[in-house]
Amino acid sequence: MKFTSIEDVKNHYRRYGKNKGFRFCMGCITKSRTNGMMIGQEFICSKEGFRKNGEKVNGNFSTHDETRVGCKAMLYIKKNEDG
C-alpha cells in the first residue's frame, strides 16, 4: 500500500485496529544520517512488552490489571526514494 503522509497511515491503521479490536502506539523513528529527515516509523501494538515487577505508575506502585502481554504485532513504514 502507498500513502501520501504519516497522518494517512495513522488514520488507516487506527481504523483497521478498531475493526480488528486492538490499538497501536508509535514506536521508533528512523532518521536519515545525511539530513536528519524521517525515513521510517514503527507502529506497535499497545500490548507490546511487559511491565517490570514493581514498576510505578503515576508515582505509585501499580495495582492495575496487566495490560502488556508481549504482543509482537508491528507495522513498519518507510519513505520511498521517489518521495
Side-chain angles (χ1 to χ4, degrees):
M1 297 178 92
K2 291 187 179 185
F3 297 94
T4 56
S5 71
I6 292 288
E7 289 301 316
D8 288 345
V9 176
K10 283 183 194 177
N11 291 332
H12 175 78
Y13 204 49
R14 186 174 291 124
R15 284 191 308 268
Y16 176 77
K18 188 174 183 178
N19 186 16
K20 297 295 182 182
F22 70 92
R23 293 186 195 173
F24 69 91
C25 301
M26 304 299 284
C28 295
I29 295 173
T30 305
K31 292 186 177 183
S32 170
R33 292 181 191 155
T34 57
N35 60 13
M37 293 191 58
M38 187 181 85
I39 57 174
Q41 173 78 57
E42 285 182 355
F43 290 77
I44 57 175
C45 178
S46 63
K47 294 185 178 190
E48 184 267 342
F50 295 97
R51 187 182 301 155
K52 297 175 187 169
N53 288 338
E55 184 175 337
K56 290 184 176 183
V57 176
N58 296 328
N60 299 317
F61 285 102
S62 176
T63 58
H64 300 286
D65 293 337
E66 184 62 55
T67 56
R68 303 224 171 200
V69 295
C71 180
K72 296 189 184 284
M74 181 185 76
L75 171 70
Y76 185 79
I77 60 166
K78 68 179 189 174
K79 187 174 181 179
N80 280 348
E81 293 176 8
D82 59 343

